[in-house]
Structures are given as C-alpha cells and as structure tokens.
Amino acid sequence: MTKIVIIGGVAGGASAAARARRLSEDAQIIMFERGPFVSFANCGLPYHIGGDIKERGNLLLQTPESFLARFNVDVRVMNEVVAINRNEKTITIRNLVDQSEYQESYDFLLLSPGAGPIVPPIPGLDNPLTHSLRNIPDMDKIIQTIQTNKPSHATVVGGGFIGLEMMEAFHQLGIKTTLLEMADQVMTPVDREMAGFAHAEIRDKGIDLRLGCALQSVEFKPTTSLGSIDEGQAGKQHINGELELTLNNGDSLSTDILIMAIGVRPETKLAKEAGLEIGALGGIYTNAQMQTSDPFIYAVGDAIEEQDFVTGQSTLVPLAGPANRQGRMAADNMLGRSESYQGTQGTAICKIFDLAVASTGKNEKQLKRDGIEYEKVYVHTASHASYYPGAQIVSFKMLFDPKTGKILGAQAVGKDGVDKRIDVMAVAQRAGMTVEQLQHLELTYAPPYGSAKDVINQAAFVANNIIKGDSTPIHFDQIDNLTDNQLLLDVRNPGELKNGYLEGAVNIPVDQLRERMDELPKDKEIVIYCQVGLRGNVAYRQLVNRGYKARNLIGGYRTYLFAKA
C-alpha cells in the first residue's frame, strides 16, 4: 500500500489528494495544513471583503470532514510540518492546538506550501492596522479592522492582482483609497502602454493612484488608549487609530488601514532545511515530472520554479491554474504513471472596476530582457458587431517572431470579450500556431457575440502585412523621436482633432489623400497615423503605391495616448 503525505492544501495539494484517491482506493493519503482551512478559494478573498461574494462559507471548497467522506483523505488542519527527515522518509509535525510533536512516515511526499507575502523592512509596519492577504484568517482580520476602525481612508501598497482587487473592494465599501506602486505601471504582466488603460479607469473611479512612489515608513497613532496592553502585543490587538505614512518622494499620507500587497515569494524553508535543491530564482527545483532533487519528494504550485512555455527557462508563476494541473500530475507520477508538465504560459486576467486586463505568454519587457527578437501589433476594435448595442472596444496587443511568425505573447484590455480573446490566444500559442495561421481561425460570429473579422483575425492580418512587407510599421514609442527627414501625417477627419493630436502633424483626411497627395514631399518619409491604425494602413498603401516612402503608426493615436496615461 502506497502512503502519500501532502504538505499544504488549497490548489496544488488538494488537487493531488483528490486525484490520488481517484487513481487508487488502496493508497493511504494524509494531508497536513498548518491553518484552520484545507481547501478554500483564496482568489475570492478580496471579493468577499468588498461584498461581491456575500457568504463567507462559499469560499470554503472542502472541509476535513468532506474530504474524508468523499475521498477518504486524512486531513489534519492546525498541524504544521516542521521538518523533513529524508533518510528515514519521515516528517515531524507540530500540533498547533496543544503544541505536541509527532512523526509520520511516507512513501512519497508532496510539498505544496505556496508563496508568502513579501513584507519589506519598512519601519513601523508591525501595527494593528496593517495587513497582508493570503488566507481566510488574514481576510477575517481585515474585515474586523474595517468593522472596528471604520476607516474613511485606505491605502494599498502594490498594483498587482491582490492590490488591485483590494483597491476595488475598498472603493465598493465607500472608503476613499490611495494605491501606491513603486513601478511606473500597475499590472506588470502587461506592458506599460496597455496598463495605461487601467490607469485611466482607476483614476476615473476616484482612486488616488500614485505611480513611481514607494512607502518609506509607517507611524501608528492609536486613538484608543493602550491601557494595560503590553506594547509588544499592540500589533496583535484591534485598536482604533490611524497611520501616518511617509513616502519616498517626501510626501506624507494619513490612512486608517494599510494593505501590503507588493508580491509573494516561494515558501521554501522546509525544502531548504531538508537539503532539497533550490533554483536560481528562489523556488524549489522540480523536473518535468514534478520531482524535486529527491525522487521520493514532489513539489507543486507557487513554491516551485517551473518551465516557461515560450523560452523553456525557469520561471516563477504564482497562479492557481498551473498549481492545479501540477498537483494532478504529481499524483499520477507518485502512483506509477509517467506524466510531464508542459510549461507555464502565465495566462491571467484581472478585473479592474469595469475593465478586464488579461495576458498570456511573454510581454515586451521580458522579451527585451531575454534578448529575444520580436515584432508587435496593436488593434482596437469592437468586442462584437459595432452596430449591435453594447459593443465595447477591445484593445489588443500581440507579440510575435518577425521571421517565423511564432506567437510570443498577447495582451488585451476592455470591458467585454477580453477573456475570450486571450483564451483563444493561449490555446493557439500552446498548439504552436503562427500568426499566419491565426488569419484562418474560424470563430463564432453573430452580431451580439462577435464580428465577421474577429479581433484576433485583424491582429493576424496586421502582423502578416508586416512579415510580408506589405506594411512598414512605426510604434508609439518612436513617435517622439522623429527626424527632419520624416513628416507626420494625420489622416483623421478634422473634427477628430479636438480630442487630441500629435504636434507638428499635417492633416489630410484619408478620403482626400488621392487628390491632395502632391502636397506631400517625396524626399521625406511620411509617418502616417489615424485613431487606431486602420485608416493609416489605407493611406500607407495609397502612398507606397505612388512611390512614396512611408510608415504607419500601429495601433494609431489611441495606443500613443494611453501609453502616456
């Protein structure tokens, strides 16, 4: 009888336990969780705080009792594994209720400890009004602080998934909110110009968004007398008060609750102490079968370094989808099968008020860092037929190899249809499709749901025009550095200029271009732009067919504008 011991529940551990039982009725399966909950929807925590998920119990996916009843898994909550004894193939466990310690043997051990929030060494962070959010007890503490302190102002540090979701939760509760982000953008999985759409939405909702700004120190000012409370215990009490924040730009800020959400790092303490190999990025090393450097110990989820699907290099991607799949495969392999993990694309989506921001594969920052040659295209087009009510603009960016057409990554922002496009791109990338093949995708079309030429088809058309030499692109980040040998041509209608334009541009509407082409010099390169790039391409073809040298601004003025937001 095979004995499988699992450390940590939630996505990876719980998936492994359920899969192992489905494969073997004879295996002995024990799962240890140091917290009070073994399987909960951690991605739903901010939505309960904000009120979208009304019932706290809806976040509890499985209990020890339900796991035992359905899967015959011995789940031990409030039991922390404190040591792995590889030579004896045993673990040491501390019961957190009575502090007793005991040992348990294993045939195979699965590590699924997850990742913990990064808490920087900022003076004053240890106070009762500062929180991070990882699990249900963290959520409960935040809710208790809101109920006790009745904050009129909240500050969130970090513009990643949790930070953005907590920002929205506070806004929904009617709490004025400041979001601090040290980088020049939120949502780092997408590139800066795509994040600009999120910046505009955040500011439009009245959030005090401060980019390029870091928290330097925190001072706790209690309004409830500490009385006989030991000062060392003050950080653990629910005491009314406010925080005075000092920022790295010299500004100060008063706030009533502070959420630290600057990122997570893999929990590797147990693995390190057991002598398991740790990768260069700080995660537990695993091979494609999810084995660590010890063949009897497997690891999955946020704690591990996994293979990047595009580059084949090690990466850290703390997402629930990969963790679930890895847990399933680890269970297969512990029970004698041979399954290999096929890499992580990092496909992700985030709700930011009325917007969805999503991505898959590599972003431009990563491609530059890794020295990978790429080209990019942007399209801004309707989520479904524009003449049918409710159509919204989908702003879409695609990155690809200019020689082979290999899909490197995609990003999308909009109020409707964003998940659909990124899901299609994630499948296309994993299937090894090229941008040439994307032209031939046959996607559903009816006016309420799509267009005869989908967003993805249109992006593929633009990409293939570039690859075939039918279009010579220029990008938003090159526009501010034009030379005297280039002339900027705006082919929009004059009425559109009131909503913004590029300085120094000559305006000739595209429908007048054939008759007025002689107004343009042939000894200069004509840099064309319109609102989203479509009319610019029409003008480009007219000009090059008449012997002009030209380039078209891909994504048009809309891309340029939001890159600055």
Side-chain angles (χ1 to χ4, degrees), residues 143-448:
I143 292 172
Q144 187 171 355
T145 295
I146 292 170
Q147 293 171 345
T148 303
N149 211 38
K150 296 179 171 54
S152 59
H153 185 277
T155 299
V156 178
V157 180
F161 291 97
I162 294 173
L164 292 167
E165 290 161 358
M166 282 305 305
M167 168 198 73
E168 186 168 350
F170 285 132
H171 182 268
Q172 286 186 197
L173 294 171
I175 301 170
K176 187 173 175 58
T177 304
T178 295
L179 177 64
L180 305 178
E181 171 52 61
M182 189 163 63
D184 64 350
Q185 66 165 96
V186 302
M187 273 292 286
T188 54
V190 302
D191 290 310
R192 174 64 179 78
E193 70 277 14
M194 300 300 284
F197 296 99
H199 299 161
E201 176 76 3
I202 290 167
R203 291 181 174 122
D204 186 58
K205 290 296 190 289
I207 302 297
D208 174 23
L209 174 63
R210 305 194 190 189
L211 300 172
C213 186
L215 180 63
Q216 200 164 57
S217 66
V218 181
E219 182 183 359
F220 173 51
K221 297 180 176 180
T223 55
T224 299
S225 173
L226 294 180
S228 60
I229 296 174
D230 180 86
E231 287 190 15
Q233 294 297 311
K236 300 178 176 61
Q237 304 297 321
H238 291 281
I239 305 164
N240 292 343
E242 67 174 14
L243 302 173
E244 189 72 21
L245 310 181
T246 301
L247 311 182
N248 66 343
N249 60 4
D251 290 348
S252 61
L253 180 67
S254 294
T255 197
D256 304 309
I257 184 170
L258 175 63
I259 304 295
M260 296 300 297
I262 64 172
V264 296
R265 64 165 55 97
E267 288 228 356
T268 58
K269 183 174 182 289
L270 267 179
K272 283 180 179 175
E273 291 174 351
L276 297 177
E277 183 180 342
I278 304 298
L281 301 178
I284 301 169
Y285 161 81
T286 58
N287 61 19
Q289 288 68 49
M290 311 314 303
Q291 285 173 306
T292 67
S293 53
D294 183 323
F296 298 102
I297 301 178
Y298 291 71
V300 299
D302 298 356
I304 71 165
E305 291 187 12
E306 53 218 283
Q307 185 185 60
D308 183 278
F309 180 79
V310 177
T311 66
Q313 303 300 310
S314 293
T315 186
L316 296 171
V317 182
L319 293 172
N324 272 286
R325 298 195 305 277
Q326 291 160 6
R328 176 186 173 92
M329 290 179 183
D332 281 359
N333 293 335
M334 286 188 286
L335 289 168
R337 297 194 176 187
S338 182
E339 297 288 337
S340 295
Y341 187 66
Q342 302 296 315
T344 297
Q345 293 164 274
T347 308
I349 190 167
C350 185
K351 177 182 180 293
I352 304 176
F353 298 110
D354 297 329
L355 280 186
V357 182
S359 64
T360 191
K362 309 303 286 183
N363 59 40
E364 191 171 351
K365 299 184 293 283
Q366 293 166 332
L367 294 172
K368 285 180 177 176
R369 179 197 67 201
D370 296 340
I372 297 173
E373 187 180 5
Y374 68 92
E375 183 55 271
K376 57 186 175 181
V377 296
Y378 303 88
V379 293
H380 307 278
T381 192
S383 56
H384 59 250
S386 57
Y387 56 81
Y388 187 89
Q392 301 286 344
I393 294 177
V394 175
S395 294
F396 183 84
K397 176 179 184 178
M398 183 169 66
L399 296 149
F400 59 96
D401 185 311
K403 292 187 176 70
T404 66
K406 177 184 176 181
I407 300 165
L408 300 175
Q411 303 164 32
V413 184
K415 296 183 178 181
D416 178 54
V418 166
D419 54 342
K420 169 181 171 179
R421 272 69 189 206
I422 292 301
D423 283 344
V424 170
M425 289 301 299
V427 173
Q429 184 181 54
R430 188 163 286 271
M433 294 180 67
T434 65
V435 293
E436 194 279 330
Q437 293 170 317
L438 286 183
Q439 297 177 107
H440 306 291
L441 283 185
E442 191 172 327
L443 304 174
T444 55
Y445 165 56

Side-chain angles (χ1 to χ4, degrees), residues 44-55 168-170 172-173:
L45 303 179
Y47 297 107
H48 178 58
I49 294 171
D52 290 317
I53 299 173
K54 301 297 183 187
E55 297 298 325
E168 186 168 350
F170 285 132
Q172 286 186 197
L173 294 171

Side-chain angles (χ1 to χ4, degrees), residues 506-532:
V506 173
N507 179 224
I508 303 177
V510 66
D511 293 340
Q512 300 175 19
L513 185 58
R514 283 189 180 88
E515 288 70 38
R516 297 177 58 184
M517 202 173 290
D518 57 2
E519 297 176 26
L520 300 173
K522 277 206 166 182
D523 61 344
K524 290 191 176 185
E525 181 180 71
I526 311 300
V527 176
I528 311 158
Y529 81 94
C530 64
Q531 189 63 22
V532 298

